[in-house]
Amino acid sequence: MTIIITAFERSPDGGEGLARDTRVRWALEEVGQPYEVRLVSFRAKKEPAHLRLHPFGLIPTYEEGDLVLFETGAIVLHIAEQHAGLFPEDASARARAITWMFAALNTVEPPILELVTARFAEGDKPWTEERLPLVKDRIRDRLVRLSARLSDADWLDGDFSAGDLMMVSVLLRLRASGLLDEFPKLAAYVARGEARPAYERAFAAQLAINAGHSQAG
Ligand SMILES: N[C@@H](CCC(=O)N[C@@H](CS)C(=O)NCC(=O)O)C(=O)O
């Protein structure tokens, strides 16, 4: 059955791979599933046709026959459950991989998104200069712990899993801030993720659409 995902017609990052369709593309590449992409404009994603797929008018969405999903956590979980390659066989190891997916989305991503909001959406506000160090420290709190847990391992819990896919995808957003470089083990972890052939294919696919269209840097 053909899998169709949605992505920005023009991503604000101009193809740096930060739009969340990249993590879904990566998951599909890891498990070897072909997919098609429906591009949506910023205006179209708030119109009824897209709102039927995504109640909040965001991307990405995932269609597989009658099944329509939104939220990258749910989409990647579904992909990992349906196809070999992203979850371990052992039930406990699988539960731990899911735990890392949630940790990425619920514990690590929120302060990182706060930084994105502080820099881009609210960067012109008078309080921004005072607020930025606080936001960055909240991210550092998470990175210190994550780096300690990862230590010298390649991946968070044994072999590469959907937990790593999600964590690397979330950490990638930090590159421009320089914060990742303060944590060499995490910087190397992200680089390992980016070096996976499946990630490279996912990145190249979104870049082919977005190259040269940067709006937000
Ligand atoms: N929690 C959602 C977040 C989805 C999301 O924020 N998507 C962004 C693109 S990466 C979007 O559509 N932004 C456009 C907007 O905010 O209008 C997920 O993981 O799927």
Side-chain angles (χ1 to χ4, degrees), residues 120-140:
F120 296 110
E122 298 168 358
D124 58 344
K125 304 291 184 211
W127 63 79
T128 295
E129 280 313 303
E130 270 186 281
R131 186 170 172 233
L132 273 179
L134 305 175
V135 174
K136 287 184 176 178
D137 278 348
R138 281 199 285 275
I139 297 173
R140 287 189 184 98

Side-chain angles (χ1 to χ4, degrees), residues 8 11-12 18-21 23 42 45-46 50 54 56-60 70-73 75 105 109 113 166 173:
F8 286 136
S11 177
L18 303 182
R20 290 174 179 81
D21 56 291
R23 52 183 81 164
F42 262 70
K45 71 186 172 47
K46 303 296 182 199
H50 188 69
H54 198 309
F56 304 107
L58 303 172
I59 63 98
F70 59 95
E71 285 297 331
T72 52
I75 296 170
L105 294 171
E109 191 168 49
L113 293 179
M166 205 52 90
R173 282 183 176 260

Side-chain angles (χ1 to χ4, degrees), residues 74-94:
I75 296 170
V76 172
L77 180 61
H78 173 74
I79 294 167
E81 278 179 337
Q82 296 298 310
H83 309 281
L86 281 171
F87 275 158
E89 287 287 312
D90 175 70
S92 296
R94 191 183 178 101

Side-chain angles (χ1 to χ4, degrees), residues 159-178:
D159 291 338
F160 176 84
S161 78
D164 295 297
L165 184 150
M166 205 52 90
M167 191 64 81
V168 168
S169 298
V170 162
L171 293 175
L172 270 167
R173 282 183 176 260
L174 283 176
R175 175 158 292 134
S177 72

